[in-house]
Amino acid sequence: MATDDVRRRAPNMRDVARAAGVSHQTVSRVINDHPSLRDETKQRVLEVMTELNYRPNRAARALVTSRSRTIGILASHRSEYGPATMIKAVEIAAKDSGYFASTVNLGGSDDDEIRAGLDHLMNQAVDGIVIVAPQVRVLNTLSLLPLGVPYVAVHQRAEAGRHVIAVDQVLGARLATRHLVELGHRRIAHVAGPQDWIEAEARTRGFVEEMAAHGITTEAPLIGDWSSDFGYSVGRRLREDPRVTAVFSSNDQMALGLIHALREGGLDVPGDLSIVGFDDIPEARHFWPPLTTVSQDFTEVGRRAVARLINDIDDSAGAPVETIEPRLIVRQSTAQL
C-alpha cells in the first residue's frame, strides 16, 4: 500500500489519502475525529496512518481547528517527590485523553522566569495549562498575569477561585495528628516543610487545628527543607528531649532522617517515639520500621485536573474548587503510648 518513496521520507496527508483511496479532506476529518465519518472509512485511514507511520502536524492542525490538542504544564521543583509525581500523573492523563503534554520547568520564582515559562508554552499554542508550582510566591505572581488560556492548579489556596483540583492537605495533617492523639500522645512535635510551600503551610495548619480540637497546646514547628538530612538533625535534638513522645513529619523523607537519628541514638521507633510521615513514597513501606503516613492519590489528581482543563477549554463557565481526600496508611512506626 505504501510506496518505497513514501517510506524514504516523512509521509504527508496526501500520501495517506492516496494510499487509503480517499480525499485529503477525509484524512483531515479522521485526524480531528469528525462525527460524520463512516466507521469503515475511519478504520481504513487509521490503518494506513499506522502503516506509513504518519504523525499529524500539530501546528497545521491548530490552524485548521484552532486547537493544538496540547496541554502545557508549568512546573517548579521537579526534584521533590510530590511535584515530580504530580507532573508525571498529569502527563499520563493528558496522553490518555488524546492530548500532548509540554512541560516547562521554572528555574526560579522571579517574575521574569515565570513570564519566560509562560511565553514558551504560549508559543506552542497550548490549549490550556496545568500549574504544578507549590510555592506561594509563584502562584501569587501567576494570579496577576493574564494567562490567555484556561488553567488549573493542583495546589489549593483560598483565593484560587475555581481553578483548583487538589488533595486536602489540611485534612491529611489532621488525620495524621488525630492518629497520634488517639494513641495517647500529647507531646507531639511537628517537623514542617518550607513555609513558602502551600502544602507545608496547609499541613502545619492542619496539625495545629487538630491539636486545638483536642485541647492540646503546641510548640512552634521545626521548619525544614523536605530533606532526610534535616530530619536527621532534628532527630538528634529530639533524642535528647524525653518530653516528646511522637512526631508528625510533613513528608516521608524527613521522617526517614528522624528514624535514622533516633535508632542511632539507641531509641526505639515506635517504642520510644512514634512517627507519622506524609506522601506515602514507594520506599515508605520498606523503612525500618515501615512508616505510618498519609497517602495522596496523585494519579487521580492528574486525571481530574486534565479532565477539568479540557472541560474549561470547551466551556469557560468552569466548575468549583474540587478537593480529593487523602488516606492515612497505618504501619509499624506508631504505637500506643
Side-chain angles (χ1 to χ4, degrees), residues 20-31:
V22 298
S23 68
H24 73 274
Q25 290 92 341
T26 297
V27 176
S28 177
R29 293 189 184 100
V30 171
I31 293 170

Side-chain angles (χ1 to χ4, degrees), residues 39-57:
D39 289 341
E40 56 269 28
T41 301
K42 180 177 179 180
Q43 186 60 36
R44 185 165 72 255
V45 172
L46 289 174
E47 288 174 357
V48 171
M49 288 171 62
T50 299
E51 183 176 339
L52 296 183
N53 195 27
Y54 171 70
R55 299 180 183 276
N57 184 289

Side-chain angles (χ1 to χ4, degrees), residues 213-230:
H214 293 277
I216 306 172
T217 57
T218 59
E219 295 184 6
L222 303 165
I223 299 175
D225 60 3
W226 299 128
S227 72
S228 297
D229 284 344
F230 181 82

Side-chain angles (χ1 to χ4, degrees), residues 69-113:
R69 295 196 70 82
T70 302
I71 288 175
I73 304 174
L74 189 69
S76 63
H77 285 266
R78 190 164 189 158
S79 60
E80 302 293 344
Y81 174 77
T85 308
M86 184 62 68
I87 292 166
K88 181 179 179 181
V90 173
E91 289 173 341
I92 292 173
K95 181 180 178 181
D96 290 345
S97 299
Y99 278 74
F100 296 91
S102 176
T103 303
V104 169
N105 296 293
L106 298 176
S109 58
D110 59 278
D111 289 356
D112 289 343
E113 187 75 24

Side-chain angles (χ1 to χ4, degrees), residues 173 176-177 180-181 185-192 203-204 207-208 211 216-223 234-235 237-239 241 243-250 254 258 262 273-277:
T177 307
L180 293 171
V181 171
H185 297 280
R186 294 297 180 271
R187 298 306 298 263
I188 304 172
H190 175 42
V191 181
R203 293 171 196 175
T204 296
F207 168 75
V208 171
M211 293 284 277
I216 306 172
T217 57
T218 59
E219 295 184 6
L222 303 165
I223 299 175
V234 169
R237 279 187 276 166
L238 290 179
R239 69 192 189 195
D241 186 354
R243 300 173 303 156
V244 176
T245 64
V247 179
F248 166 44
S249 173
S250 197
M254 291 191 294
L258 276 164
L262 293 169
L273 208 88
S274 287
I275 298 176
V276 179

